[in-house]
Amino acid sequence: MSAAAKLVQYVVVNGEIAKSWPKGAVIAQCCHAVAAVSHLYAADPDTVEYFKDLDNMHKVVLEVRVS
């Protein structure tokens, strides 16, 4: 197993926003966040390794509700 196959990107979505915003708006905000983090950490060795195999990138999207 390659080092890239062991890396996982987690996207955590605020459940309160997710239930009140249109689904497309939530997806757009998640895309913006992922793009920003990818840019900010582009030189990080784990980020470089993660992007080496674009066909096998792993992501987990989680919803968190804060009460």
Side-chain angles (χ1 to χ4, degrees):
M1 180 181 286
S2 71
K6 297 176 186 175
L7 295 171
V8 177
Q9 181 179 52
Y10 286 87
V11 180
V12 181
V13 181
N14 180 327
E16 292 302 311
I17 292 172
K19 75 178 185 183
S20 61
W21 286 19
K23 192 176 290 187
V26 174
I27 292 169
Q29 289 302 311
C30 290
C31 291
H32 290 178
V34 167
V37 169
S38 298
H39 174 73
L40 288 172
Y41 294 94
D44 181 86
D46 286 334
T47 304
V48 171
E49 189 65 31
Y50 183 73
F51 285 123
K52 280 185 179 177
D53 187 2
L54 297 178
D55 291 332
N56 293 300
M57 294 169 28
H58 293 95
K59 289 174 191 53
V60 175
V61 179
L62 303 171
E63 180 180 341
V64 176
R65 293 187 186 261
V66 180
S67 49

